[in-house]
Amino acid sequence: MIQITIEQMNTQLNRIENCLRLLSEEDVWRKLSPDTNSIANLCVHLAGNEYQHFVSGIGEQPFIRQRSQEFNIVEGLSKQQLLDELKGVREQSIQILSKLTATDLDRQVKVYFDQEDWKRMKERMDASSEPCFIRSIQDHLFIVAEHYGYHTGQIVYITKLIDKNRGNITEYRH
């Protein structure tokens, strides 16, 4: 499960990289409507989520994420900086995940949240006062990979809408 998670997430990262290559610096920050996210916002969000779960949660590195701010950024990072951030977090994740064994999959880990984000989430669910989720590593692998694939699909779709004549972005024709 560990290796397939890494492989699938690397496939998604390659798709994001293909999209970034096709678009201009301006296009990656473009919102198709006021209530949507830009590709850049989604990249920042993906790097933050992966760091939060894999590097901070499983790897027990410091928690340094403010999730809600990821969607408020409107400029300032180039395509290369976005890609470097995604790849840098991935390298850290691979270092941590590749040390895990099958017996580690059931181990429970805490994934912390920024206090403001936690307050917003707590309104919708029954949660402890400590701003964290406690889940098995296996659950975190599944949740993060699914989340990464979901937003990668959005990035591919937005790229297709912006760059109408490019044709096939991924290795599949859909």
Side-chain angles (χ1 to χ4, degrees):
M1 175 163 198
I2 298 162
Q3 190 57 39
I4 193 73
T5 299
I6 293 169
E7 289 171 8
Q8 285 299 308
M9 290 184 67
N10 282 340
T11 296
Q12 301 307 324
L13 180 54
N14 288 336
R15 289 177 177 151
I16 293 169
E17 186 171 8
N18 288 340
C19 290
L20 292 175
R21 262 195 231 115
L22 295 172
L23 298 172
S24 70
E25 296 288 344
E26 182 179 276
D27 282 340
V28 299
W29 287 101
R30 186 169 152 196
K31 291 186 177 194
L32 299 180
S33 69
D35 62 339
T36 61
N37 293 306
S38 70
I39 288 173
N41 291 124
L42 292 172
C43 289
V44 171
H45 176 65
L46 286 173
N49 184 263
E50 183 176 344
Y51 180 91
Q52 178 181 16
H53 286 266
F54 290 169
V55 180
S56 180
I58 297 171
E60 299 178 339
Q61 298 300 307
F63 173 71
I64 55 170
R65 182 181 188 204
Q66 291 183 311
R67 182 187 176 279
S68 57
Q69 296 305 310
E70 295 163 0
F71 303 104
N72 295 330
I73 304 168
V74 294
E75 64 183 0
L77 297 170
S78 69
K79 295 186 309 179
Q80 189 59 54
Q81 288 171 311
L82 293 166
L83 190 56
D84 289 347
E85 180 67 20
L86 289 166
K87 287 182 173 186
V89 170
R90 180 59 44 82
E91 288 174 15
Q92 293 176 69
S93 295
I94 289 171
Q95 288 178 355
I96 290 163
L97 298 179
S98 63
K99 294 176 184 172
L100 298 174
T101 65
T103 56
D104 289 319
L105 294 177
D106 291 328
R107 183 166 45 95
Q108 301 288 305
V109 296
K110 287 184 180 183
V111 171
Y112 288 92
F113 287 82
D114 173 81
Q115 197 67 40
E116 290 303 311
D117 291 330
W118 186 251
K119 285 179 188 175
R120 278 190 292 283
M121 291 187 325
K122 197 173 176 181
E123 292 172 2
R124 298 184 312 224
M125 59 192 216
D126 182 23
S128 69
S129 59
E130 187 176 22
C132 69
F133 281 122
I134 301 172
R135 293 188 177 118
S136 70
I137 288 175
Q138 179 172 297
D139 288 351
H140 286 292
L141 292 174
F142 178 78
I143 289 165
V144 174
E146 186 274 334
H147 179 261
Y148 211 95
Y150 171 78
H151 286 305
T152 299
Q154 290 178 317
I155 291 168
V156 169
Y157 187 68
I158 293 168
T159 301
K160 287 181 178 188
L161 291 174
I162 292 172
D163 193 33
K164 296 177 178 124
N165 297 318
R166 200 52 80 151
N168 192 18
I169 295 171
T170 67
E171 64 272 23
Y172 301 106
R173 293 191 58 80
H174 56 277

